[in-house]
Amino acid sequence: MVRPILTFENPVLREKAKKVARVDASIQRLLDDLTETMLEAPGAGLAANQIGVALRVCVVKGDDKQIWGLVNPEIVKKDGAQVGYEGCLSYPGWVGEVERAETVVIKGRNRHGKEIRVKSSGFTARAFQHELDHLDGVLFTDKLTSLDTLRRVEELVGEEREEAVAAASG
Ligand code: ZN
């Protein structure tokens, strides 16, 4: 089911989401709702608190269109750095420059409760880091390289705009 996406003023976006004790049918439904909502938006990822559920659950759409649904995700390894524009479905219409690790390895449980590790880089790694921040109540606007880089998407032109529109939005 597509759920409404909450915007940055909502206090649930500043909460540290709670760990999931057991991956049951309600968590599988939550993963389905997150996936449908992300695809409809459209976005590159979505965290459960963005739809008002303060649990450590998120989805990310990889470069190859594969969709990762993760429960209790955590970063176990990060390498390198990338600087680029990033947006957020809870901050519609705005982008800003954020530095992220270039490569991350995420450990979490899948929809069957099985522990998995996902290695990603570039755009997908940026989306994972953005979603994991959401689960800690952190928004991309907390991490801008400079406040001057916070821009309205429609103010940007040409290549800059293309980059911004393609930016991780989740
Ligand atoms: Zn976001």
Side-chain angles (χ1 to χ4, degrees), residues 50 87-90 130-131 134 170:
Q50 290 181 279
C88 179
L89 296 173
S90 296
H130 180 106
E131 300 319 322
H134 271 304

Side-chain angles (χ1 to χ4, degrees), residues 46-90:
L46 196 64
N49 45 357
Q50 290 181 279
I51 60 167
V53 180
L55 289 174
R56 304 191 80 79
V57 178
C58 70
V59 294
V60 165
K61 190 170 72 180
D63 282 331
D64 50 5
K65 305 276 181 264
Q66 172 155 17
I67 292 168
W68 302 100
L70 289 176
V71 178
N72 300 336
E74 51 184 297
I75 295 176
V76 290
K77 193 165 185 275
K78 48 167 97 176
D79 266 310
Q82 55 172 317
V83 176
Y85 275 104
E86 192 166 314
C88 179
L89 296 173
S90 296

Side-chain angles (χ1 to χ4, degrees), residues 111-167:
R111 62 183 294 116
H112 307 295
K114 186 174 177 282
E115 189 177 298
I116 57 166
R117 277 167 195 258
V118 184
K119 187 178 181 181
S120 63
S121 56
F123 183 85
T124 309
R126 176 177 291 280
F128 270 116
Q129 291 169 85
H130 180 106
E131 300 319 322
L132 266 67
D133 272 354
H134 271 304
L135 300 179
D136 287 328
V138 174
L139 297 174
F140 83 103
T141 46
D142 301 338
K143 294 203 156 175
L144 297 170
T145 54
S146 151
L147 202 54
D148 300 338
T149 68
L150 190 66
R151 316 265 292 272
R152 279 219 154 264
V153 174
E154 63 251 36
E155 282 170 22
L156 304 175
V157 289
E159 223 173 87
E160 237 186 352
R161 181 167 184 147
E162 278 165 43
E163 186 193 352
V165 169

